[in-house]
Amino acid sequence: MQLRDIAELLNAALLCGEELLDKDVGTVYASDLMSDVLSQVKGHPLLVTGLCNTQVVRTAEMVDIFCVLFVRGKKPDAHTVELARDGMLCLMATDKTMFEVCGILYENGCDG
Amino acid sequence: MDDAVLSLKYHVSPDDFKTAGEASSDVKNKLKKMGLSPEIVRRVAISMYEGEINMVIHAYGGEISVDIGMEAVTIVLKDKGPGIKDIDKAMEAGYSTASERVRSMGFGAGMGLPNMKKYSDEMKIDTTIGVGTTVTLIIRLC
């Protein structure tokens, strides 16, 4: 599924990385714990998280994740968005909970 | 150690979560530009980043040197922190002495050293209580 379809499904706002919206995402990894992201992520999943700080962007960068979706209405500060822009990452934010987001993505064919 | 093609040095500021990861990010970008395989770049980036975060969390910052050679990338993370009391325990997945504040930042799950070991080919820890810790990571290129 393309990032733009995911954004539409989840009613998510795009914070940066518009040029990546045509990219395909097959798998999803959901966690608030960056330690787990660093130890377990394989491939290039969409990262769904309720944690909202610069280290989310840094973690994504290290493991080659190119899109992060913030849940529960969390919005990162300007510095975090700037960091993501520099690293050519796409950031999105939705008011839905992590449970809702995972349910919707699973129902629409995304794998873990 | 083989002759370094490129040697880099970084200072890591203590307790600064905003800039933590800058050194690892810089190394990752340089390795990418040098044309190293994505898997090697990823392993260097993750293991160094875990070390850099550890320095910020536990050790009042420190110095990192990175030597990129023909055969391996060698990362030396040197701090003047409190030292590691029990290395065996620190190597156990899930064991952590991190504060609530660190945990609220998404770290401190007790995976730092295990992850550094997982993503490197060799890891050596020299630690003295009250003096500091030096962690050496080697990631072979072939």
Side-chain angles (χ1 to χ4, degrees), chain B:
Chain B
M1 200 193 303
D2 55 335
D3 288 339
V5 174
L6 183 63
S7 292
L8 305 160
K9 290 212 182 307
Y10 300 92
H11 174 75
V12 178
S13 302
D15 214 27
D16 187 352
F17 267 101
K18 273 217 156 79
T19 59
E22 268 180 11
S24 305
S25 174
D26 189 60
V27 168
K28 183 170 190 195
N29 287 330
K30 285 198 165 76
L31 293 181
K32 252 199 224 167
K33 277 188 192 143
M34 289 170 84
L36 270 75
S37 82
E39 191 48 34
I40 294 280
V41 175
R42 191 169 179 270
R43 287 176 54 208
V44 169
I46 296 175
S47 51
M48 178 171 166
Y49 179 60
E50 287 280 16
E52 193 178 348
I53 290 288
N54 267 356
M55 279 182 153
V56 174
I57 294 173
H58 298 289
Y60 334 122
E63 307 295 328
I64 307 177
S65 67
V66 181
D67 284 310
I68 303 154
M70 295 301 287
E71 291 167 16
V73 177
T74 304
I75 305 160
V76 180
L77 303 114
K78 194 174 176 144
D79 69 59
K80 290 178 182 163
I84 304 169
K85 265 192 198 134
D86 186 336
I87 293 183
D88 288 341
K89 267 233 168 288
M91 285 305 300
E92 273 176 25
Y95 176 80
S96 176
T97 57
S99 65
E100 258 325 296
R101 181 174 163 263
V102 167
R103 287 169 203 260
S104 74
M105 302 290 294
F107 295 97
M111 294 306 294
L113 286 173
N115 271 352
M116 286 156 79
K117 192 174 169 68
K118 176 178 169 183
Y119 289 107
S120 62
D121 291 305
E122 271 180 56
M123 179 167 91
K124 199 176 119 208
I125 304 173
D126 289 312
T127 187
T128 309
I129 297 298
V131 177
T133 301
T134 300
V135 179
T136 306
L137 300 167
I138 297 175
I139 292 106
R140 288 194 204 95
L141 301 183
C142 42

Side-chain angles (χ1 to χ4, degrees), chain A residues 63-82:
Chain A
V63 298
D64 298 324
I65 281 173
F66 58 85
C67 184
V68 178
L69 173 75
F70 295 103
V71 296
R72 306 193 286 268
K74 302 273 178 81
K75 292 261 169 67
D77 61 16
H79 175 73
T80 303
V81 176
E82 202 49 47

